[in-house]
């Protein structure tokens, strides 16, 4: 391994503190051994004396100082570590000399200190520590041979011990290097995993579909905000799927037993239709993923795509139709001026009626692509509806009592004036077309909605009403039950309501058509299109 002295290193103060704690325990034990009877410590060859007590006491004080320094002044790591190791080398070498040299066995203490220092120290310094320990032990032993009658063979033992110093330092350094590399790898992988988890959580939270994680015990372990809204789940804490969505829980159990389908449709608590898909995970707890989709939203999306393509097609066709239609109309006017007979006049009337009808269809189709951005303002309904009814009756040449107003004093709605005029025109003309055409055949009324800051505008006629078989189709484009209708009036009216942050609904009524515009009267900032249920 060529990079065992690599600079991949960071100061590890916690490990250094553990090392100093070990040294403090060792110093305390050595100091206490001096207090025991000599018979118990005879193998150490250390006789209690003022010099020994001073040496062990000083060692203990130095270790305490090093521990406090590494705890409260975490700077200059290499300097502190080198100082403590050299202090150990000096003290242990002196104790070895006083105990009779290498034969006392105290050299093992230096091996432990060098191993610990090599684990936490920088690569090149570990060789310096081993060299200092070798010089100290060999110098002490050689001096003992000449000055204290040590056995000369003990120099060979000191050499073997010194070789052990280098081997211990190098092996501990290799081990420490690998531990640091693995620790750094684990740290980087932990950061990457944490980032991935955060990204996954954000993706799941921002998904337009609901996501549930259901445990093997049937508890919803985790869910995103969309699923919480769909099923009415609490924000935190595990909840039983059976209590929240019994139909979904039954389908999940059947799928888990192999008797059900992977996808199922069911009704949510608020009456909406949901589509659920199940998927197994590799989790050791046997958790299951449940994906929820709002069927209504999927239908709306498909409808929007259909309308977008249809709008582009019909708009281009309408432009092409308008020119020949104008030519036909102009030719009919020229023929009418000749007045050749009653039969020709009848044919010209038929021609003119169909030209007018085609022109109205073309205008409605072009209106789909020309819907301007809403500019809502607070419209006072009593004044606006009075002016609208007067204009409508004059334009359609209807009696003054054909439309009746039932306005609440001070009622208002946040709406674009031109858009509201167009919506009411479509609703009132459609209602009058299917009404009895008598006095009060169409009624416009305001009602306070079930919700603070909301208002309802009702348009009711006295006709036969909308059959149940076509109630879900009345807002679809080009659907009409009248032979002269275009099928775009109600669709455009609903789109204009949505553009103004309101909604257009068809209410259930025993007789007569009953349409309700639900909007806001507290703020004219456009909210998300709402589906507020009208008050009965």
């Amino acid at each position: 391994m060529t990079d065992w002295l690599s600079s991949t290193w960071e100061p590890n103060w916690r490990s250094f503190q553990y090392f100093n704690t070990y040294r403090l325990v060792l110093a305390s034990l050595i100091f206490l051994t001096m207090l025991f009877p000599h018979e118990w410590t005879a193998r150490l060859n250390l006789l209690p004396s003022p010099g020994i007590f001073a040496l062990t006491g000083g060692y203990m004080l130095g270790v305490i100082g090093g521990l406090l320094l590494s705890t409260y002044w975490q700077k200059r790591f290499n300097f502190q570590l080198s100082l403590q190791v050299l202090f150990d080398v000096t003290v242990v070498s002196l104790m070895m000399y006083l105990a009779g040299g290498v034969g006392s066995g105290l050299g093992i203490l230096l091996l432990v200190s060098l191993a610990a220092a090599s684990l936490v120290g920088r690569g090149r310094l570990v060789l310096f520590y081993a060299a200092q320990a070798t010089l100290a032990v060999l110098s002490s032993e050689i001096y003992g041979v000449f000055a204290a009658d040590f056995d000369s063979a003990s120099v060979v033992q000191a050499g073997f011990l010194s070789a052990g110093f280098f081997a211990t330092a190098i092996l501990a350094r290799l081990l420490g290097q690998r531990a640091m590399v693995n620790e750094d790898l684990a740290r980087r992988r932990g950061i990457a995993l944490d980032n991935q988890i955060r990204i996954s959580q954000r993706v799941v939270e921002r998904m337009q579909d609901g996501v549930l994680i259901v445990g093997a015990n049937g508890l919803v372990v985790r869910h995103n905000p969309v699923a919480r809204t769909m099923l009415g789940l609490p924000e935190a804490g595990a909840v039983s799927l059976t209590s929240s969505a019994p139909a979904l829980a039954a389908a999940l159990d059947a799928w888990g037993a192999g008797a059900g389908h992977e996808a199922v449709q069911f009704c949510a608590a608020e009456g909406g239709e949901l589509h659920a898909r199940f998927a197994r995970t590799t989790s050791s707890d046997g958790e299951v993923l449940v994906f929820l989709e709002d069927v209504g939203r999927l239908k709306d999306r498909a409808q929007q795509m259909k309308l977008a393509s249809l709008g582009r097609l019909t708009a281009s066709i309408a432009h092409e139709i308008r020119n020949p239609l104008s030519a036909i109309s102009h030719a009919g006017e020229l023929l009418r001026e000749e007045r050749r007979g009653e039969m020709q006049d009848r044919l010209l009337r038929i021609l003119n009626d169909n030209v007018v009808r085609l022109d109205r269809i073309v205008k409605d189709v072009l209106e789909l692509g020309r819907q301007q951005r809403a500019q809502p303002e607070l419209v006072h309904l009593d004044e606006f509806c009075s002016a609208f009814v007067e204009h409508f009756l004059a334009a359609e040449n209807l009696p003054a009592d054909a439309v009746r107003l039932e306005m609440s004093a001070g009622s208002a709605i946040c709406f674009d004036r031109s858009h509201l005029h167009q919506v009411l025109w479509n609703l009132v003309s459609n209602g009058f077309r299917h009404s009895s055409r008598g006095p009060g055949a169409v009624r416009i009324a305001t009602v306070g909605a079930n919700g603070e800051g909301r208002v309802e505008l009702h348009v009711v006629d006295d006709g036969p009403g909308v059959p149940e078989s076509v109630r879900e189709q009345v807002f679809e484009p080009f659907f009409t039950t009248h032979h002269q209708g275009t099928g775009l009036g109600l669709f455009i009216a609903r789109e204009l309501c949505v553009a103004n942050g309101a909604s257009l609904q068809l209410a259930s009524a025993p007789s007569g058509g009953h349409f309700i515009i639900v909007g806001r009267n507290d703020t004219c900032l456009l909210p998300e299109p709402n589906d507020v249920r009208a008050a009965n």
Side-chain angles (χ1 to χ4, degrees):
M1 186 173 182
T2 58
D3 59 343
W4 73 278
L5 291 176
S6 171
S7 61
T8 302
W9 173 86
E10 291 183 2
N12 194 330
W13 292 99
R14 180 62 60 86
S15 298
F16 187 30
Q17 291 168 5
Y18 291 154
F19 174 47
N20 283 331
T21 303
Y22 152 75
R23 296 170 61 238
L24 179 60
V25 172
L26 179 63
S28 301
L29 291 176
I30 294 175
F31 183 80
L32 290 176
T33 56
M34 299 298 100
L35 303 178
F36 295 152
H38 182 64
E39 292 79 8
W40 294 10
T41 59
R43 292 182 176 273
L44 296 177
N45 295 326
L46 289 175
L47 297 177
S49 64
I52 291 294
F53 278 110
L55 182 61
T56 55
Y59 182 55
M60 182 182 298
L61 293 177
V63 171
I64 293 175
L67 178 60
L68 294 176
L69 201 62
S70 63
T71 303
Y72 298 104
W73 192 69
Q74 294 185 355
K75 298 179 181 179
R76 303 189 65 179
F77 181 87
N78 289 327
F79 173 77
Q80 291 192 39
L81 179 62
S82 301
L83 184 63
Q84 297 299 319
V85 171
L86 293 179
F87 186 57
D88 280 2
V89 168
T90 302
V91 172
V92 174
S93 299
L94 291 175
M95 292 178 62
M96 287 177 60
Y97 176 78
L98 296 176
V102 178
S104 64
L106 294 178
I108 195 69
L109 299 179
L110 286 179
L111 287 175
V112 176
S113 295
L114 288 175
S118 300
L119 286 174
V120 300
R122 188 182 290 270
R124 291 174 176 80
L125 286 177
V126 302
L127 295 180
F128 172 72
Y129 303 150
Q132 293 299 318
T134 298
L135 290 176
V137 169
L138 288 177
S139 300
S140 173
E141 200 65 26
I142 293 174
Y143 180 79
V145 169
F146 289 103
D149 296 329
F150 287 178
D151 186 3
S152 58
S154 62
V155 178
V156 178
Q157 297 180 16
F160 287 136
L161 182 61
S162 300
F165 291 159
F166 280 96
T168 300
I170 294 174
L171 292 176
R173 172 57 188 167
L174 292 175
L175 180 61
Q177 176 76 1
R178 174 158 299 189
M180 284 187 287
V181 170
N182 291 336
E183 181 181 356
D184 181 67
L185 178 62
R187 180 182 58 82
R188 286 188 283 108
R189 286 184 175 178
I191 294 175
L193 179 61
D194 182 68
N195 292 335
Q196 187 65 37
I197 291 175
R198 292 175 183 271
I199 293 174
S200 300
Q201 288 178 345
R202 182 57 60 89
V203 169
V204 171
E205 290 175 358
R206 295 297 181 91
M207 287 180 62
Q208 295 184 354
D209 297 333
V211 179
L212 298 175
I213 301 178
V214 184
N217 54 0
L219 295 179
V220 180
V221 180
R222 194 172 304 166
H223 53 77
N224 66 344
V226 178
R228 181 172 65 246
T229 302
M230 288 180 174
L231 300 180
L233 302 175
E235 294 188 6
V239 63
S240 174
L241 186 63
T242 304
S243 61
S244 302
L248 179 60
L252 178 60
D253 292 339
W255 173 77
H261 299 285
E262 185 178 347
V264 64
Q265 288 190 5
F266 66 100
C267 292
E270 297 183 356
E273 189 176 2
L274 300 179
H275 179 269
R277 292 183 294 109
F278 308 126
R280 288 186 172 88
T281 65
T282 58
S283 171
S284 59
D285 296 332
E287 295 171 338
V288 177
L289 278 174
V290 181
F291 299 95
L292 300 176
E293 295 176 319
D294 189 343
V295 177
R297 186 174 61 83
L298 294 178
K299 290 181 179 179
D300 290 341
R301 185 185 301 171
Q303 181 76 353
Q304 292 297 330
M305 295 177 63
K306 172 184 174 182
L307 293 176
S309 57
L310 183 61
R312 289 191 293 268
L313 175 62
T314 53
S316 60
I317 294 176
H319 279 292
E320 296 298 327
I321 291 176
R322 204 161 213 183
N323 291 332
L325 189 62
S326 299
I328 294 173
S329 178
H330 182 65
E333 293 294 334
L334 294 177
L335 288 174
R336 185 177 290 106
E337 292 178 357
E338 296 183 3
R339 299 184 179 276
R340 295 185 178 181
E342 183 178 351
M343 179 59 70
Q344 186 180 10
D345 289 342
R346 180 172 175 271
L347 294 176
L348 288 174
R349 281 196 302 270
I350 295 175
L351 177 64
N352 181 69
D353 291 343
N354 284 277
V355 167
V356 172
R357 182 185 176 191
L358 285 175
D359 185 65
R360 186 169 63 251
I361 294 175
V362 170
K363 287 181 180 179
D364 288 342
V365 169
L366 293 177
E367 187 66 30
L368 290 176
R370 284 202 301 258
Q371 291 184 11
Q372 298 178 355
R373 183 180 180 87
Q375 297 179 351
E377 57 180 296
L378 192 62
V379 178
H380 296 282
L381 291 176
D382 49 356
E383 299 177 3
F384 180 87
C385 291
S386 298
F388 166 79
V389 170
E390 183 180 352
H391 182 202
F392 179 81
L393 295 177
E396 298 292 332
N397 195 21
L398 297 174
D401 58 353
V403 179
R404 187 169 73 246
L405 291 176
E406 298 177 1
M407 298 286 106
S408 300
S411 57
I413 189 172
C414 290
F415 224 99
D416 186 295
R417 284 183 175 271
S418 61
H419 288 180
L420 183 58
H421 186 277
Q422 186 175 355
V423 171
L424 283 178
W425 193 283
N426 287 335
L427 294 178
V428 174
S429 60
N430 181 74
F432 197 80
R433 186 184 304 123
H434 295 87
S435 69
S436 64
R437 297 179 177 267
V442 177
R443 182 168 53 90
I444 303 176
T446 55
V447 179
N450 289 335
E452 184 179 354
R454 297 190 179 275
V455 65
E456 294 179 1
L457 186 60
H458 294 242
V459 179
V460 188
D461 64 74
D462 60 357
V466 181
E468 285 292 335
S469 58
V470 298
R471 288 182 63 86
E472 295 184 358
Q473 298 174 279
V474 294
F475 291 112
E476 292 185 2
F478 303 107
F479 174 80
T480 180
T481 58
H482 195 271
H483 67 280
Q484 290 186 347
T486 64
L488 292 173
L490 291 178
F491 170 74
I492 293 175
R494 188 182 65 171
E495 292 297 310
L496 290 176
C497 287
V498 171
N500 285 270
S503 65
L504 178 60
Q505 305 166 12
L506 174 60
S508 299
S511 63
H514 188 176
F515 292 89
I516 308 174
I517 302 172
V518 183
R520 304 194 66 88
N521 60 6
D522 57 346
T523 174
C524 288
L525 295 177
L526 289 182
E528 293 293 331
N530 57 77
D531 292 323
V532 180
R533 295 184 179 274
N536 293 329

